[in-house]
Amino acid sequence: MTDLIPHQPDASPAAYDAATLAVLAAMEEAAEKHLDAIRPHNTKRGYANDWALWEEFHGWLAERTGQPLPLTAVTKGTLVGFVVWLDAIKLAAPNSIDRRITGVTVTARNEHGVEVPKAATVAARQALKPLKNDPERTARGRGKAAAATPEQLRQMNAAVADGLTGLRDRALWLMAFGIAGRSAEVAALRTESIVHVSQGLEVHVPAVKGRPPRDVVVSYGRNPDTCPVRAWLTWRAAAGITSGSAFLPITAWGQLGDRHLSPEAVREIIARNAERAGLAVRLTGHSMRAGFITTSRRAGKREEKIRAQSGHAANSPAFWGYIREADKWTDAASEDIGL
């Protein structure tokens, strides 16, 4: 019976001669070039964004471990860690995380010559599976960040951690609120650019990601628990900083780091403290910026003054969306119409 089955040549590369291997290698290279040429532009751009997030994750990891890892270390441990980071820190939707896994593995193979072990991608998607069954997570990315309120800031203050870390965290989120700052702007603040004057603070917000710098003022607050000025002065004195980065990492042993926080670390600090306070809504880094705009508007502040603080353009749809949200109960169309 076996005589009826034709002999199959050995298909393993080791059985091929040098000339055959050279042709096969050329065909592999040509195939990759062809696939890259027909790959849609949006897909390429998406993969580039995925890899940028992978780089950001590695920077975040290095801040905590003190040991930078090579970006080509796409392993079971790092890929599962990437999933957890995207979920807990970036607050990414599960479907978005799934695409990021693909983008990183494809980029590692095509751009860096690294073949990601199948066990790594299997483990990453196992970690992702329960996230896809969580309705709150699947709803992410479908709306604006929740705007923080003064009441929520007071709740966060009541639950803040003891010691130097708590002083930094409180000063950070109140400064973010007070300057209507983006996370990247808060991370880039310099101590010498925050000047204490009798009325409060004069703050130079540096240029980040191509956005122009701006100079803003932060007044003393009526409530000591949510006053950005008092919180900043307390943190600065406790940390003993007079120049350099305004907000620094702190080790588990209470030691100050020697470089500035990343924007991602700023977002993590805000989200972690909001969760610690048991807030009913999830706050993100952008919540402080949104919260300042809506709170200031409800207090009757002029639009141009608010925009000068936040750095929004005059025609910014995001800014006017916040203004409409703040104004929706002011002289409402349904108010006092005889119903």
Side-chain angles (χ1 to χ4, degrees):
M1 187 70 175
T2 55
D3 293 339
L4 299 178
I5 302 175
H7 174 67
Q8 299 293 326
D10 188 353
S12 64
Y16 299 149
D17 57 32
T20 302
L21 288 172
V23 172
L24 288 172
M27 293 295 290
E28 288 284 330
E29 183 178 352
E32 288 295 345
K33 289 181 179 178
H34 175 69
L35 292 173
D36 184 64
I38 65 174
R39 188 171 289 130
H41 175 71
N42 286 347
T43 301
K44 292 180 183 179
R45 184 172 58 189
Y47 286 171
N49 290 339
D50 298 336
W51 194 257
L53 276 170
W54 180 250
E55 292 176 341
E56 189 177 338
F57 163 66
H58 274 255
W60 175 87
L61 193 62
E63 282 185 354
R64 281 146 186 79
T65 64
Q67 176 59 50
L69 295 176
L71 295 175
T72 51
V74 190
T75 65
K76 178 179 177 180
T78 57
L79 207 54
V80 170
F82 185 53
V83 170
V84 174
W85 177 78
L86 287 171
D87 171 59
I89 306 303
K90 301 297 283 186
L91 304 179
N95 285 342
S96 176
I97 297 174
D98 204 346
R99 293 194 302 272
R100 303 296 188 195
I101 295 170
T102 300
V104 167
T105 55
V106 170
T107 305
R109 181 182 67 243
N110 294 348
E111 303 293 333
H112 302 277
V114 175
E115 196 62 44
V116 179
K118 184 178 180 180
T121 56
V122 169
R125 288 196 164 90
Q126 283 178 339
L128 180 60
K129 189 173 181 179
L131 307 184
K132 288 187 172 183
N133 295 326
D134 183 343
E136 288 189 9
R137 285 180 164 93
T138 56
R140 286 175 179 174
R142 299 178 186 172
K144 295 179 181 178
T149 66
E151 173 58 30
Q152 289 168 340
L153 298 182
R154 286 190 283 273
Q155 289 178 253
M156 291 169 65
N157 175 72
V160 73
D162 293 330
L164 197 60
T165 298
L167 296 178
R168 180 205 61 188
D169 290 0
R170 181 174 58 183
L172 182 147
W173 79 62
L174 289 173
M175 182 68 76
F177 192 96
I179 67 171
R182 302 172 177 90
S183 295
E185 293 171 342
V186 176
L189 287 175
R190 306 280 297 178
T191 302
E192 60 270 26
S193 298
I194 303 174
V195 180
H196 183 216
V197 296
S198 59
Q199 299 96 329
L201 301 174
E202 295 179 349
V203 183
H204 176 72
V205 182
V208 296
K209 296 183 178 180
R211 299 183 179 96
R214 63 187 187 277
D215 293 304
V216 303
V217 295
V218 180
S219 300
Y220 274 98
R222 292 182 179 178
N223 189 328
D225 291 339
T226 53
C227 174
V229 181
R230 295 180 180 89
W232 164 252
L233 296 176
T234 301
W235 152 248
R236 188 185 66 179
I241 53 175
T242 56
S243 63
S245 298
F247 299 106
L248 298 166
I250 301 173
T251 68
W253 300 275
Q255 300 298 315
L256 286 178
D258 57 0
R259 56 180 179 174
H260 65 79
L261 293 171
S262 66
E264 197 48 60
V266 170
R267 289 189 281 269
E268 180 191 357
I269 288 169
I270 292 170
R272 184 178 66 236
N273 279 274
E275 184 177 355
R276 180 188 181 98
L279 299 186
V281 297
R282 182 188 291 270
L283 298 187
T284 68
H286 204 73
S287 294
M288 298 300 152
R289 180 170 169 80
F292 175 87
I293 295 169
T294 54
T295 301
S296 184
R297 179 63 172 182
R298 285 167 184 158
K301 304 302 180 181
R302 300 196 309 272
E303 294 151 4
E304 63 270 23
K305 282 280 190 176
I306 301 172
R307 280 198 299 104
Q309 194 83 353
S310 68
H312 278 100
N315 60 350
S316 167
F319 175 79
W320 290 107
Y322 293 130
I323 294 297
R324 285 192 296 272
E325 177 65 24
D327 285 352
K328 68 181 180 182
W329 283 103
T330 302
D331 192 25
S334 58
E335 181 183 359
D336 293 332
I337 60 174
L339 293 180

